Amino acid sequence: MKFTFVTLFSNLIEFYFKDSILKKAIEKDLIKYEFYNPREYSTNKHKKVDDYLCSGGAGLLMTPQPLFDTLEDIKSKNPDSYIIFPLAAAKPFRQNDAKRLAKKKNIVFVCGRYEGIDERVIEEYADEVFSIGEYILTGGELASLVMCDAISRNVDGVLGNSESLDMESYESDLLEAPSFTKPESFQNLSVPSAFLKGNHSKIANLKFQMSICKTKYYRPDKGKNNEK
Ligand code: SAM
């Protein structure tokens, strides 16, 4: 699977592929990434990519021409491109989206800067738009990385143990149960004793009950399907 980032600031993204799970996924050829800089497509003699808002008011907006030309070039080279715009005003990006998008061949993230992107670019090219939360970031690079990371975990082979995906929070209506590791006792704080006795059905039952409690505590808006 390929991730293409349309960005004025590729350095803000590239570091993330240099370590850990995404680095390994690249080494195993499971994912690839590339950058396109709209400034290189600008026909303006100063390579300008932004301008004042027609409606007046503060701030600058990314202009259509460099982005139209960048996206046309990407589409001509990759006809199966699926183009996503991170936008603060869009619907929230969720785990189900990460799983669904992990089946695409080439995802293109168009990273806005300044006050955002001229709406005509979004109208013309967006296959989908997502927000990563109800706050305003300075640009789309972080939002794209967040989505890219969440999608990559769901690409076959990227996680060593894909079973670990099934039990995670947001895979079902319940959050993942609390987890514990060694030592069994640390500063007088003990792991629940049932976890240490090896009875798998008792452990599964306890985890289920703990998931219900955790969901009620952290996310009372969820878990309704498990209420008696
Ligand atoms: N004026 C815009 C608004 O009020 O919605 C915000 C523009 S923001 C400063 C610049 C860029 O950052 C946006 O075009 C978008 O690409 C990205 N961005 C900011 N917040 C985001 C969020 N919560 N989710 C996804 N992308 C975001």
Side-chain angles (χ1 to χ4, degrees):
M1 161 167 214
K2 183 161 77 174
F3 294 100
T4 301
F5 298 89
V6 177
T7 173
L8 297 169
F9 300 104
S10 59
N11 286 343
L12 294 181
I13 296 175
E14 192 158 26
F15 72 94
Y16 199 70
F17 293 98
K18 302 285 181 199
D19 250 311
S20 190
I21 287 178
L22 294 197
K23 179 184 174 197
K24 287 195 190 125
I26 289 163
E27 286 166 357
K28 286 197 244 164
D29 215 16
L30 297 170
I31 63 168
K32 302 184 204 324
Y33 65 92
E34 64 181 2
F35 298 110
Y36 281 77
N37 187 340
R39 199 175 295 286
E40 286 167 17
Y41 291 79
S42 174
T43 52
N44 175 277
K45 65 177 175 186
H46 304 297
K47 295 285 172 197
K48 228 166 89 120
V49 291
D50 55 336
D51 217 326
Y52 294 101
L53 284 92
C54 291
S55 52
L60 298 160
L61 215 52
M62 291 180 80
T63 53
Q65 177 275 317
L67 285 169
F68 265 62
D69 287 356
T70 308
L71 290 167
E72 281 306 319
D73 189 25
I74 291 172
K75 281 175 73 161
S76 70
K77 291 175 182 151
N78 310 277
D80 53 3
S81 294
Y82 193 78
I83 303 179
I84 294 176
F85 286 71
L87 296 178
K91 67 183 174 187
F93 180 78
R94 297 190 192 282
Q95 181 67 4
N96 277 345
D97 299 309
K99 291 174 86 140
R100 176 171 56 81
L101 293 168
K103 309 226 165 16
K104 300 276 179 209
K105 284 218 170 73
N106 185 10
I107 292 185
V108 180
F109 290 111
V110 186
C111 305
R113 276 274 147 184
Y114 317 115
E115 279 314 306
I117 295 174
D118 186 300
E119 195 68 26
R120 289 167 288 183
V121 186
I122 302 166
E123 284 290 316
E124 191 66 22
Y125 289 101
D127 289 306
E128 223 165 331
V129 295
F130 287 112
S131 160
I132 62 153
E134 293 185 4
Y135 39 76
I136 305 291
L137 301 166
T138 51
E141 286 76 10
L142 265 182
S144 299
L145 261 186
V146 166
M147 292 187 266
C148 170
D149 183 291
I151 294 166
S152 297
R153 287 170 60 79
N154 288 282
V155 171
D156 281 346
V158 166
L159 288 190
N161 177 9
S162 62
E163 274 174 30
S164 62
L165 280 172
D166 300 340
M167 301 305 289
E168 280 183 317
S169 304
Y170 307 115
E171 287 297 323
S172 76
D173 194 37
L174 292 175
L175 303 180
E176 186 181 54
S179 306
F180 303 90
T181 180
K182 307 263 167 52
E184 290 167 15
S185 178
F186 178 71
Q187 295 189 354
N188 283 333
L189 301 167
S190 298
V191 172
S193 59
F195 281 8
L196 308 171
K197 292 186 180 142
N199 182 328
H200 294 296
S201 77
K202 275 200 174 149
I203 292 174
N205 186 42
L206 179 61
K207 283 177 110 173
F208 179 62
Q209 298 306 328
M210 287 173 125
S211 277
I212 293 176
C213 291
K214 189 169 167 182
T215 308
K216 277 194 178 142
Y217 187 70
Y218 283 122
R219 293 296 301 269
D221 55 313
K222 292 188 172 288
K224 308 281 184 215
N225 295 343
N226 294 283
E227 280 175 5
K228 291 199 177 135

